[in-house]
Amino acid sequence: MHIESFSMKDIAEAARLTFDVWGDELQEESIKFRHFMYEAMVRYYCRDTEYSFKLVDDENKMQAFLLAAKTIEHNHSGEWFLRQAYKFSQRERQLAQGYLRYLHYNGDQMLRRAGRDDLMLCLFLSKVSGGGKKLLQNVENKAKETGVNKLLLWADATCDYDYYLRRGFSQTDTFTNDVLPAMGKLPTIVYSKELKL
């Protein structure tokens, strides 16, 4: 296995990997809709490829990825989302819009807590043991090389909180996201890690 830069051409494969790992969420929805939602999430978080990486196996198949971006980078997936969403029922479109509002809310909360030059870890997924650790170390090295001294991320109840603590992150804040009524009030933890340059 080796690490490569993540590019926009990797979005479809990353979306399939996300479905493979998290596909049991939204089980009551069609497979087509779930694939759309996972691709929408990957596109939403793919803001800057300078700090985004993938782990590939000997057959060049993606096994893990980590999407990260400076806080000044913006999301450009809205047009794609609108073009794709019309293919679904009104109920499904409303559900998809609700999930994007959830992501937007968390993103806005993070931006309020971040400095201009901080690096946000946006989407982090691994199918293989140890893959996430390798990618995280790679991002940290790249961040140090480019003068970034602080990493930030958010995690809600669906995440493994302890994972970040074991990797040297500290809990720095909390907030509640209640944008999706079906999911209730989700406590969300902000983690940060100072990098020694």
Side-chain angles (χ1 to χ4, degrees):
M1 297 243 195
H2 62 280
I3 294 173
E4 297 179 359
S5 292
F6 189 99
S7 72
M8 297 300 280
K9 68 178 176 52
D10 294 317
I11 286 177
E13 187 177 5
R16 285 191 297 275
L17 181 61
T18 305
F19 179 84
D20 290 345
V21 174
W22 292 340
D24 56 345
E25 293 181 23
L26 298 170
Q27 274 191 333
E28 63 282 358
E29 305 301 328
S30 71
I31 290 177
K32 182 179 178 182
F33 180 75
R34 284 187 279 162
H35 276 288
F36 163 69
M37 286 303 302
Y38 292 123
E39 183 166 349
M41 185 179 358
V42 172
R43 286 181 179 275
Y44 177 83
Y45 283 124
C46 189
R47 301 168 183 218
D48 178 358
T49 55
E50 181 180 4
Y51 297 99
S52 296
F53 298 94
K54 62 183 178 177
L55 183 68
V56 297
D57 62 19
D58 294 338
E59 297 173 358
N60 211 33
K61 186 173 180 182
M62 188 184 306
Q63 298 297 315
F65 65 90
L66 194 165
L67 305 180
K70 290 273 194 89
T71 57
I72 57 172
E73 297 296 332
H74 297 287
N75 168 269
H76 302 285
S77 64
E79 188 177 311
W80 176 89
F81 179 84
L82 292 174
R83 280 197 317 269
Q84 300 301 315
Y86 85 92
K87 300 174 183 176
F88 297 96
S89 70
Q90 182 177 356
R91 184 192 66 77
E92 289 171 321
R93 285 195 303 271
Q94 289 173 339
L95 179 60
Q97 289 166 346
Y99 272 89
L100 284 184
R101 280 195 309 275
Y102 172 83
L103 297 179
H104 279 300
Y105 180 85
N106 282 0
D108 289 344
Q109 293 297 316
M110 291 300 294
L111 288 175
R112 290 181 188 158
R113 292 159 168 82
R116 179 174 172 80
D117 295 322
D118 293 343
L119 186 67
M120 292 196 327
L121 305 184
C122 301
L123 186 57
F124 191 13
L125 182 139
S126 180
K127 190 176 180 178
V128 294
S129 178
K133 181 179 178 181
K134 288 179 183 177
L135 287 171
L136 184 56
Q137 186 60 57
N138 195 69
V139 168
E140 287 185 21
N141 292 341
K142 177 69 174 181
K144 289 176 186 177
E145 287 172 14
T146 56
V148 173
N149 55 22
K150 188 176 182 183
L151 303 178
L152 291 168
L153 64 90
W154 63 265
D156 64 21
T158 65
C159 302
D160 176 3
Y161 293 141
D162 290 339
Y163 179 86
Y164 302 108
L165 297 174
R166 292 191 307 270
R167 300 293 176 268
F169 285 80
S170 303
Q171 180 179 332
T172 57
D173 205 354
T174 59
F175 61 89
T176 300
N177 187 331
D178 58 1
V179 170
L180 282 175
M183 294 177 71
K185 295 184 177 184
L186 280 176
T188 305
I189 299 176
V190 178
Y191 291 94
S192 68
K193 183 175 184 177
E194 300 287 339
L195 300 178
K196 295 175 182 172
L197 302 179

PDB file of all heavy atoms in Angstrom, residues 109-127:
ATOM      1  N   GLN A 109     -19.949  26.243  12.048  1.00  0.00           N
ATOM      2  CA  GLN A 109     -19.497  26.222  13.439  1.00  0.00           C
ATOM      3  C   GLN A 109     -17.975  26.073  13.515  1.00  0.00           C
ATOM      4  O   GLN A 109     -17.312  26.704  14.347  1.00  0.00           O
ATOM      5  CB  GLN A 109     -20.170  25.084  14.214  1.00  0.00           C
ATOM      6  CG  GLN A 109     -21.663  25.262  14.410  1.00  0.00           C
ATOM      7  CD  GLN A 109     -21.977  26.489  15.235  1.00  0.00           C
ATOM      8  OE1 GLN A 109     -21.341  26.747  16.255  1.00  0.00           O
ATOM      9  NE2 GLN A 109     -22.953  27.261  14.793  1.00  0.00           N
ATOM     10  N   MET A 110     -17.412  25.256  12.639  1.00  0.00           N
ATOM     11  CA  MET A 110     -15.961  25.066  12.630  1.00  0.00           C
ATOM     12  C   MET A 110     -15.250  26.347  12.204  1.00  0.00           C
ATOM     13  O   MET A 110     -14.231  26.717  12.784  1.00  0.00           O
ATOM     14  CB  MET A 110     -15.582  23.920  11.696  1.00  0.00           C
ATOM     15  CG  MET A 110     -16.020  22.562  12.198  1.00  0.00           C
ATOM     16  SD  MET A 110     -15.302  22.131  13.799  1.00  0.00           S
ATOM     17  CE  MET A 110     -13.581  21.988  13.359  1.00  0.00           C
ATOM     18  N   LEU A 111     -15.774  27.016  11.183  1.00  0.00           N
ATOM     19  CA  LEU A 111     -15.131  28.240  10.707  1.00  0.00           C
ATOM     20  C   LEU A 111     -15.102  29.309  11.789  1.00  0.00           C
ATOM     21  O   LEU A 111     -14.161  30.102  11.867  1.00  0.00           O
ATOM     22  CB  LEU A 111     -15.836  28.763   9.456  1.00  0.00           C
ATOM     23  CG  LEU A 111     -15.602  27.922   8.201  1.00  0.00           C
ATOM     24  CD1 LEU A 111     -16.438  28.450   7.043  1.00  0.00           C
ATOM     25  CD2 LEU A 111     -14.122  27.895   7.828  1.00  0.00           C
ATOM     26  N   ARG A 112     -16.118  29.333  12.642  1.00  0.00           N
ATOM     27  CA  ARG A 112     -16.143  30.306  13.742  1.00  0.00           C
ATOM     28  C   ARG A 112     -15.046  30.021  14.763  1.00  0.00           C
ATOM     29  O   ARG A 112     -14.639  30.904  15.511  1.00  0.00           O
ATOM     30  CB  ARG A 112     -17.501  30.275  14.446  1.00  0.00           C
ATOM     31  CG  ARG A 112     -18.611  30.837  13.614  1.00  0.00           C
ATOM     32  CD  ARG A 112     -19.920  30.792  14.365  1.00  0.00           C
ATOM     33  NE  ARG A 112     -20.991  31.170  13.466  1.00  0.00           N
ATOM     34  CZ  ARG A 112     -22.246  30.850  13.632  1.00  0.00           C
ATOM     35  NH1 ARG A 112     -22.608  30.139  14.677  1.00  0.00           N
ATOM     36  NH2 ARG A 112     -23.157  31.238  12.768  1.00  0.00           N
ATOM     37  N   ARG A 113     -14.593  28.800  14.814  1.00  0.00           N
ATOM     38  CA  ARG A 113     -13.607  28.391  15.809  1.00  0.00           C
ATOM     39  C   ARG A 113     -12.197  28.283  15.235  1.00  0.00           C
ATOM     40  O   ARG A 113     -11.261  27.958  15.952  1.00  0.00           O
ATOM     41  CB  ARG A 113     -14.027  27.042  16.401  1.00  0.00           C
ATOM     42  CG  ARG A 113     -15.294  27.130  17.244  1.00  0.00           C
ATOM     43  CD  ARG A 113     -15.968  25.776  17.400  1.00  0.00           C
ATOM     44  NE  ARG A 113     -17.001  25.791  18.406  1.00  0.00           N
ATOM     45  CZ  ARG A 113     -18.240  26.231  18.205  1.00  0.00           C
ATOM     46  NH1 ARG A 113     -18.588  26.720  17.026  1.00  0.00           N
ATOM     47  NH2 ARG A 113     -19.137  26.202  19.181  1.00  0.00           N
ATOM     48  N   ALA A 114     -12.051  28.515  13.936  1.00  0.00           N
ATOM     49  CA  ALA A 114     -10.773  28.285  13.268  1.00  0.00           C
ATOM     50  C   ALA A 114     -10.077  29.588  12.920  1.00  0.00           C
ATOM     51  O   ALA A 114     -10.719  30.617  12.698  1.00  0.00           O
ATOM     52  CB  ALA A 114     -11.015  27.481  11.987  1.00  0.00           C
ATOM     53  N   GLY A 115      -8.764  29.515  12.854  1.00  0.00           N
ATOM     54  CA  GLY A 115      -7.962  30.618  12.360  1.00  0.00           C
ATOM     55  C   GLY A 115      -7.838  30.530  10.849  1.00  0.00           C
ATOM     56  O   GLY A 115      -8.062  29.474  10.247  1.00  0.00           O
ATOM     57  N   ARG A 116      -7.451  31.614  10.239  1.00  0.00           N
ATOM     58  CA  ARG A 116      -7.369  31.685   8.778  1.00  0.00           C
ATOM     59  C   ARG A 116      -6.424  30.634   8.197  1.00  0.00           C
ATOM     60  O   ARG A 116      -6.666  30.099   7.114  1.00  0.00           O
ATOM     61  CB  ARG A 116      -6.922  33.087   8.367  1.00  0.00           C
ATOM     62  CG  ARG A 116      -6.788  33.281   6.885  1.00  0.00           C
ATOM     63  CD  ARG A 116      -6.486  34.732   6.535  1.00  0.00           C
ATOM     64  NE  ARG A 116      -6.180  34.887   5.130  1.00  0.00           N
ATOM     65  CZ  ARG A 116      -7.086  34.945   4.164  1.00  0.00           C
ATOM     66  NH1 ARG A 116      -8.362  34.857   4.460  1.00  0.00           N
ATOM     67  NH2 ARG A 116      -6.724  35.083   2.910  1.00  0.00           N
ATOM     68  N   ASP A 117      -5.361  30.316   8.887  1.00  0.00           N
ATOM     69  CA  ASP A 117      -4.369  29.389   8.354  1.00  0.00           C
ATOM     70  C   ASP A 117      -4.466  27.981   8.926  1.00  0.00           C
ATOM     71  O   ASP A 117      -3.579  27.160   8.706  1.00  0.00           O
ATOM     72  CB  ASP A 117      -2.961  29.945   8.595  1.00  0.00           C
ATOM     73  CG  ASP A 117      -2.717  31.228   7.815  1.00  0.00           C
ATOM     74  OD1 ASP A 117      -3.190  31.304   6.666  1.00  0.00           O
ATOM     75  OD2 ASP A 117      -2.084  32.139   8.354  1.00  0.00           O
ATOM     76  N   ASP A 118      -5.517  27.710   9.673  1.00  0.00           N
ATOM     77  CA  ASP A 118      -5.691  26.360  10.212  1.00  0.00           C
ATOM     78  C   ASP A 118      -6.110  25.401   9.095  1.00  0.00           C
ATOM     79  O   ASP A 118      -6.672  25.813   8.081  1.00  0.00           O
ATOM     80  CB  ASP A 118      -6.754  26.347  11.315  1.00  0.00           C
ATOM     81  CG  ASP A 118      -6.318  27.118  12.542  1.00  0.00           C
ATOM     82  OD1 ASP A 118      -5.109  27.384  12.678  1.00  0.00           O
ATOM     83  OD2 ASP A 118      -7.191  27.466  13.355  1.00  0.00           O
ATOM     84  N   LEU A 119      -5.853  24.126   9.319  1.00  0.00           N
ATOM     85  CA  LEU A 119      -6.236  23.096   8.363  1.00  0.00           C
ATOM     86  C   LEU A 119      -7.359  22.265   8.961  1.00  0.00           C
ATOM     87  O   LEU A 119      -7.237  21.756  10.078  1.00  0.00           O
ATOM     88  CB  LEU A 119      -5.029  22.207   8.046  1.00  0.00           C
ATOM     89  CG  LEU A 119      -5.228  21.169   6.944  1.00  0.00           C
ATOM     90  CD1 LEU A 119      -5.407  21.845   5.586  1.00  0.00           C
ATOM     91  CD2 LEU A 119      -4.044  20.210   6.888  1.00  0.00           C
ATOM     92  N   MET A 120      -8.453  22.130   8.210  1.00  0.00           N
ATOM     93  CA  MET A 120      -9.588  21.335   8.673  1.00  0.00           C
ATOM     94  C   MET A 120      -9.542  19.954   8.031  1.00  0.00           C
ATOM     95  O   MET A 120      -9.400  19.840   6.815  1.00  0.00           O
ATOM     96  CB  MET A 120     -10.904  22.027   8.334  1.00  0.00           C
ATOM     97  CG  MET A 120     -11.103  23.284   9.118  1.00  0.00           C
ATOM     98  SD  MET A 120     -12.796  23.939   9.132  1.00  0.00           S
ATOM     99  CE  MET A 120     -13.447  23.531   7.561  1.00  0.00           C
ATOM    100  N   LEU A 121      -9.644  18.922   8.858  1.00  0.00           N
ATOM    101  CA  LEU A 121      -9.798  17.563   8.363  1.00  0.00           C
ATOM    102  C   LEU A 121     -11.283  17.371   8.109  1.00  0.00           C
ATOM    103  O   LEU A 121     -12.086  17.403   9.037  1.00  0.00           O
ATOM    104  CB  LEU A 121      -9.271  16.557   9.373  1.00  0.00           C
ATOM    105  CG  LEU A 121      -7.823  16.765   9.832  1.00  0.00           C
ATOM    106  CD1 LEU A 121      -7.401  15.641  10.764  1.00  0.00           C
ATOM    107  CD2 LEU A 121      -6.881  16.874   8.655  1.00  0.00           C
ATOM    108  N   CYS A 122     -11.648  17.192   6.850  1.00  0.00           N
ATOM    109  CA  CYS A 122     -13.058  17.243   6.464  1.00  0.00           C
ATOM    110  C   CYS A 122     -13.737  15.882   6.404  1.00  0.00           C
ATOM    111  O   CYS A 122     -14.822  15.708   6.948  1.00  0.00           O
ATOM    112  CB  CYS A 122     -13.181  17.932   5.107  1.00  0.00           C
ATOM    113  SG  CYS A 122     -12.536  19.606   5.065  1.00  0.00           S
ATOM    114  N   LEU A 123     -13.126  14.932   5.720  1.00  0.00           N
ATOM    115  CA  LEU A 123     -13.720  13.608   5.584  1.00  0.00           C
ATOM    116  C   LEU A 123     -12.596  12.589   5.599  1.00  0.00           C
ATOM    117  O   LEU A 123     -11.623  12.706   4.847  1.00  0.00           O
ATOM    118  CB  LEU A 123     -14.527  13.511   4.283  1.00  0.00           C
ATOM    119  CG  LEU A 123     -15.336  12.239   4.066  1.00  0.00           C
ATOM    120  CD1 LEU A 123     -16.330  12.002   5.205  1.00  0.00           C
ATOM    121  CD2 LEU A 123     -16.073  12.299   2.733  1.00  0.00           C
ATOM    122  N   PHE A 124     -12.771  11.579   6.440  1.00  0.00           N
ATOM    123  CA  PHE A 124     -11.688  10.681   6.799  1.00  0.00           C
ATOM    124  C   PHE A 124     -12.277   9.284   6.851  1.00  0.00           C
ATOM    125  O   PHE A 124     -13.160   9.014   7.658  1.00  0.00           O
ATOM    126  CB  PHE A 124     -11.213  11.146   8.167  1.00  0.00           C
ATOM    127  CG  PHE A 124      -9.935  10.554   8.677  1.00  0.00           C
ATOM    128  CD1 PHE A 124      -9.067   9.841   7.887  1.00  0.00           C
ATOM    129  CD2 PHE A 124      -9.599  10.758  10.002  1.00  0.00           C
ATOM    130  CE1 PHE A 124      -7.888   9.324   8.394  1.00  0.00           C
ATOM    131  CE2 PHE A 124      -8.425  10.256  10.534  1.00  0.00           C
ATOM    132  CZ  PHE A 124      -7.567   9.533   9.717  1.00  0.00           C
ATOM    133  N   LEU A 125     -11.827   8.383   5.967  1.00  0.00           N
ATOM    134  CA  LEU A 125     -12.432   7.059   5.903  1.00  0.00           C
ATOM    135  C   LEU A 125     -11.381   6.033   5.509  1.00  0.00           C
ATOM    136  O   LEU A 125     -10.572   6.283   4.610  1.00  0.00           O
ATOM    137  CB  LEU A 125     -13.567   7.081   4.868  1.00  0.00           C
ATOM    138  CG  LEU A 125     -14.354   5.802   4.703  1.00  0.00           C
ATOM    139  CD1 LEU A 125     -15.825   6.121   4.549  1.00  0.00           C
ATOM    140  CD2 LEU A 125     -13.873   5.028   3.497  1.00  0.00           C
ATOM    141  N   SER A 126     -11.399   4.883   6.184  1.00  0.00           N
ATOM    142  CA  SER A 126     -10.456   3.818   5.851  1.00  0.00           C
ATOM    143  C   SER A 126     -11.160   2.469   5.896  1.00  0.00           C
ATOM    144  O   SER A 126     -11.924   2.183   6.810  1.00  0.00           O
ATOM    145  CB  SER A 126      -9.277   3.808   6.827  1.00  0.00           C
ATOM    146  OG  SER A 126      -8.386   2.771   6.482  1.00  0.00           O
ATOM    147  N   LYS A 127     -10.862   1.671   4.904  1.00  0.00           N
ATOM    148  CA  LYS A 127     -11.404   0.310   4.822  1.00  0.00           C
ATOM    149  C   LYS A 127     -10.444  -0.703   5.431  1.00  0.00           C
ATOM    150  O   LYS A 127     -10.814  -1.832   5.685  1.00  0.00           O
ATOM    151  CB  LYS A 127     -11.642  -0.004   3.340  1.00  0.00           C
ATOM    152  CG  LYS A 127     -12.405  -1.247   3.038  1.00  0.00           C
ATOM    153  CD  LYS A 127     -12.632  -1.337   1.537  1.00  0.00           C
ATOM    154  CE  LYS A 127     -13.413  -2.589   1.175  1.00  0.00           C
ATOM    155  NZ  LYS A 127     -13.668  -2.663  -0.262  1.00  0.00           N
TER     156      LYS A 127
END
